[in-house]
Amino acid sequence: MECKENVIHYLSWGFIVSGVAYLLQQTRTQTPYGRYVTSDGTPGRTCPAKLAWFLQELPSFLVPMLLLLSTDTQPSLGKDLLLWTFCLHYFQRTFIYSLLTKGRPSPLYIVFSAVVFCSVNGFLQGHYMLHCATYDDAWQTDIRLGTGLLMFFLGMAINIHSDHILLNLRKPGEVVYKIPKGGMFEYVSGANFFGEILEWCGYALATWSLPTFSFALFTMCSIGPRAYHHHRYYQEKFEDYPRSRKALIPFIL
């Protein structure tokens, strides 16, 4: 398949513009998810958490894999990076995390929006890495590749460990929120968000391209404000919440 350069270009800039717009929107209104969902008593407007996570994350894994399986591609660094970073992350989120989550039901329109985004992004990342990205032999020893992969896997470890802490905060049947402790939560309120942002910044650095940068920026703009919302929630709810803990970036923000 030929590289669809114009499609890649427009989708990448679309992510950048929409990411900034979404960031600005979240400074005025709060996206209704998790603890911020308000029930109006109307049935059929939400989706169970486990199913919601599975449905909304699946396209990010499935679309690149379908592109890979339907294309006769030669072994390449772009293909390896796609499989062992992007697809690896979404395999964990789709088939492992979705079974473990104990979150609240998600509004259907949030699930639908996530499915659309993940489908488009799955195509963007998959098509670019399989059919457009070219890396010469020198890239394999480039500091950007090594540093980016280190950031990615460190971020993935932080993300998974932080989710593990959150999943085990409450005993079966409990619905109250507690202060998360341990790991990166000793430094930031949004440790899971910090880990995921670090992942995609590392992915963008290792691949050094507009499509991967646009996805990393969109991630920062979409989940970065959630860390701030959580931080403010904890500060208002718990009088003994650690004053030294930041919202998203350790010691800084």
Side-chain angles (χ1 to χ4, degrees), residues 3-170:
C3 173
K4 302 181 183 296
E5 293 185 9
N6 286 338
V7 174
I8 295 299
H9 178 80
Y10 289 126
L11 285 178
S12 298
W13 278 104
F15 276 17
I16 292 172
V17 173
S18 59
V20 173
Y22 189 31
L23 173 64
L24 294 176
Q25 177 189 332
Q26 290 192 90
T27 62
R28 298 190 298 270
T29 59
Q30 190 166 285
T31 303
Y33 66 93
R35 71 192 66 177
Y36 308 113
V37 174
T38 57
S39 174
D40 59 2
T42 305
R45 291 190 175 184
T46 61
C47 181
K50 294 181 188 296
L51 179 60
W53 270 102
F54 178 80
L55 292 176
Q56 66 191 34
E57 302 292 292
L58 180 61
S60 287
F61 176 78
L62 187 60
V63 173
M65 292 304 298
L66 289 176
L67 289 173
L68 177 62
L69 294 174
S70 62
T71 306
D72 183 20
T73 57
Q74 299 297 319
S76 66
L77 181 58
K79 177 181 176 181
D80 291 339
L81 285 172
L82 176 68
L83 281 172
W84 296 108
T85 55
F86 189 83
C87 290
L88 178 64
H89 169 90
Y90 280 106
F91 177 86
Q92 192 274 334
R93 302 301 284 180
T94 303
F95 299 105
I96 299 176
Y97 179 77
S98 66
L99 297 177
L100 299 175
T101 184
K102 304 173 184 177
R104 295 183 177 182
S106 297
L108 282 178
Y109 80 93
I110 295 290
V111 177
F112 177 77
S113 299
V115 169
V116 172
F117 173 81
C118 288
S119 298
V120 174
N121 189 47
F123 170 79
L124 175 63
Q125 306 304 322
H127 180 75
Y128 177 80
M129 297 303 293
L130 291 173
H131 304 297
C132 305
T134 56
Y135 300 99
D136 55 27
D137 292 339
W139 189 254
Q140 297 185 32
T141 57
D142 194 290
I143 190 172
R144 287 169 291 183
L145 175 62
T147 303
L149 289 177
L150 178 62
M151 290 170 59
F152 177 86
F153 288 109
L154 177 60
M156 188 173 186
I158 292 173
N159 183 236
I160 293 174
H161 182 248
S162 300
D163 283 339
H164 173 75
I165 291 174
L166 291 175
L167 290 171
N168 289 278
L169 267 182
R170 290 176 286 184

Side-chain angles (χ1 to χ4, degrees), residues 30-38 103-105 166 169-170 175 177-178 180 185 189 192-193 226 229-234 237-238:
Q30 190 166 285
T31 303
Y33 66 93
R35 71 192 66 177
Y36 308 113
V37 174
T38 57
R104 295 183 177 182
L166 291 175
L169 267 182
R170 290 176 286 184
V175 295
Y177 285 95
K178 300 179 181 179
F185 280 113
S189 299
N192 49 335
F193 302 131
R226 298 182 188 181
H229 294 152
H230 283 10
H231 187 66
R232 185 176 60 184
Y233 171 86
Y234 287 131
K237 185 175 181 63
F238 301 103

